[in-house]
Amino acid sequence: MRSRGASRAGAETSTEASYDVVVVGSGAGGAVIASELSERGLRVLVIERGPWVEPDDISHDELAMIATLYRDGGAQTNTDADMFVLQGSCVGGSTVLTNAVCFRMPEEVRLRFESYGWRLSSEDMARCSQYVETAMSVAPLDERLHNAAAQRMHAGMQKLGLEIGRFDKAFDRCIGCGYCNVGCAFGRKRDASTVWIPRALAAGCRVLPRTEALRLQHRAGHVEALLCRDLETGRHFKVSAKRYVLAAGALHTPELLLRSGLGGRNVGKRTSFNAGAIAFAEYEEELDAFDGDQMCVHYFGEGYVIEQIHNPPMSFALTMPGWFDEHHAAMQRYRKRTAAGVLVPTQAVGRVFRGLGSKLLTRWFDHPNLAFRLPEEDVAAFRRGFKMLARVFLASGAKLVIPPLATFTELRSEDELYFIDERLQEQRDLVGFGSSHPQGGACMGDDPSRDVVAPNYRVYDADCVHVVDASLFPESVRVNPMISIMAVAKHAAESIAALVEASPSSEAVTTC
């Protein structure tokens, strides 16, 4: 893999460079804030733990790409190991690995956030959303890219009288290869690494890939430096600036605050997700659902959303229920099978914390712990969602449906839907349960006794630290959150820029 190392060398050796803002993370929040502040003439440095991967570095070797682009090689889980959490670890963050799905924050969600003290009006949200959508070239997915399974699902939804949704996506002449979740080898996907990071670089921003932010060093709430480690050489160095923006995601921003002893007693609490699992259907004929875009149609139900998703073979196999010969036989029918997911916006009952490994093995252990258990209300939403999805599959002509249940189950008619009620009672009853949309953990609001971040995006107990990513969200945003995060980052840039201009100067980089 190539990485752009010129900026790294300059940062490690310079004692004269000076930055206005250091941004930790280069995903949906970090890349936008870096671009916006750089284009305002501020001196910005971006710290990114993952490598810098370009289209020429990307292949359709799923195993190699997942190991390279995903945090922990895609194996990040909760403490009970019955839930995975997928996050990108590369320049561009998770946006590099999305299906480019773009939803605006629903107005009812914005109103809920407003009740927590958010100062983001409907007009501001619309303005910021339009701004990022234009930059990302968001448009309805070309129907010529729809795969055969999407057409079947469309027919099933139509037969049941459901309101069929089509996706808006951030593509540039997509060819429908179906490998969005391992990056775009053709450079056709619009994400943080192809839109906002290039804009930031053109405005003078510097990016340090393969660099880990270890902790913020502070005295009486004033941060004096960010301690970092070069992951290629193991060398430690410090970075100082007027302002620090944390945008490392909803698990790692709270982790960095916990490591630093900042944010107060509520850091890591109220973590939520758009969480889900995948059901499968088999047809008599070969669909070849891999031929086209992965995600084409969706349906919003009561407390859940159904999203059609057809993964390449390895990812398909990882989420397919069944064991040994049974699983092997199922994969032999890959061309006749397809899949769709049920996503539920969970309640904010999760918690990110530092376990013994993080506390005792600080030098080697760099993983946050996540405790999460689905409340019964969310489990009930999954039951409703999977029963509706099974009905859609059956109405579309599927000969059998396999819900993601720990007790292997095949449904051949609606008369068998009761199996879902009987066999889905708690989180551990789901196979392949997880999320790529973690949220919360450093929630923003107007109550310092409840919230971690003030409505101006500043951490309450630190005078120059801001948070600009999904960890701000006090509840699940309920839809794929990329555009919501980017729009909030655009809004945050306007207030942070004014604060930077009023800050005293500081030296930026020293080695240690």
Side-chain angles (χ1 to χ4, degrees), residues 432-505:
F433 171 70
S435 176
S436 54
H437 304 153
Q439 299 158 69
C443 298
M444 185 165 77
D446 59 6
D447 184 351
S449 68
R450 175 196 64 198
D451 305 311
V452 176
V453 179
N456 65 352
Y457 302 95
R458 183 181 64 80
V459 175
Y460 270 110
D461 65 355
D463 62 5
C464 57
V465 180
H466 301 263
V467 173
V468 184
D469 60 18
S471 58
L472 291 172
F473 297 168
E475 298 179 3
S476 171
V477 77
R478 302 183 187 178
V479 294
N480 303 56
M482 181 174 71
I483 293 298
S484 297
I485 298 168
M486 289 182 174
V488 168
K490 163 64 176 171
H491 185 261
E494 298 166 3
S495 61
I496 293 174
L499 292 170
V500 171
E501 292 166 359
S503 300
S505 62

Side-chain angles (χ1 to χ4, degrees), residues 280-283 333 337 393-394 397-402 409-413:
F280 298 82
E282 184 174 325
Y283 295 81
R333 300 193 291 278
R337 290 195 168 189
F393 276 140
L394 293 167
K399 70 175 186 178
L400 63 88
V401 177
I402 306 169
T409 304
E410 291 182 344
L411 308 174
R412 288 176 169 80
S413 74

Side-chain angles (χ1 to χ4, degrees), residues 32-210:
V32 171
I33 202 82
S35 172
E36 290 297 298
L37 296 181
S38 296
E39 290 177 344
R40 289 169 179 260
L42 301 180
R43 297 157 298 175
V44 179
L45 174 69
V46 176
I47 302 292
E48 169 55 52
R49 189 182 191 280
W52 198 318
V53 180
E54 300 185 71
D56 287 347
D57 301 315
I58 295 172
S59 74
H60 288 171
D61 182 338
E62 292 181 80
L63 181 60
M65 291 297 96
I66 290 172
T68 299
L69 299 173
Y70 283 78
R71 177 74 186 216
D72 292 349
Q76 186 172 242
T77 72
N78 66 339
T79 52
D80 291 328
D82 60 3
M83 175 188 188
F84 65 80
V85 182
L86 299 179
Q87 291 181 293
S89 183
C90 57
V91 173
S94 299
T95 71
V96 174
L97 311 173
T98 70
N99 291 91
V101 169
C102 297
F103 285 105
R104 288 193 181 189
M105 181 185 289
E107 176 61 11
E108 64 269 22
V109 172
R110 190 202 63 79
L111 287 171
R112 288 286 300 165
F113 288 6
E114 194 174 75
S115 72
Y116 287 95
W118 280 51
R119 299 169 189 165
L120 191 57
S121 68
S122 178
E123 294 76 18
D124 281 341
M125 195 67 201
R127 171 179 59 84
C128 293
S129 297
Q130 181 62 57
Y131 177 82
V132 298
E133 287 169 350
T134 299
M136 296 283 286
S137 303
V138 175
L141 179 66
D142 189 335
E143 289 190 26
R144 292 174 296 181
L145 298 174
H146 284 203
N147 62 58
Q151 295 165 8
R152 285 301 191 98
M153 284 207 70
H154 185 283
M157 291 176 178
Q158 194 170 46
K159 189 172 182 179
L160 295 177
L162 304 181
E163 184 177 347
I164 304 165
R166 301 181 186 275
F167 289 106
D168 288 343
K169 297 204 175 187
F171 283 143
D172 177 15
R173 299 168 290 119
C174 175
I175 64 173
C177 74
Y179 280 80
C180 282
N181 296 142
V182 291
C184 184
F186 306 100
R188 304 295 180 89
K189 185 163 62 176
R190 306 278 286 173
D191 57 43
S193 74
T194 61
V195 176
W196 304 101
I197 291 297
R199 283 178 52 168
L201 291 171
C205 177
R206 303 182 74 187
V207 178
L208 294 187
R210 297 291 292 141

Side-chain angles (χ1 to χ4, degrees), residues 257-268:
L257 288 171
L258 289 168
R259 282 176 175 271
S260 305
L262 290 171
R265 59 187 176 86
N266 292 312
V267 174

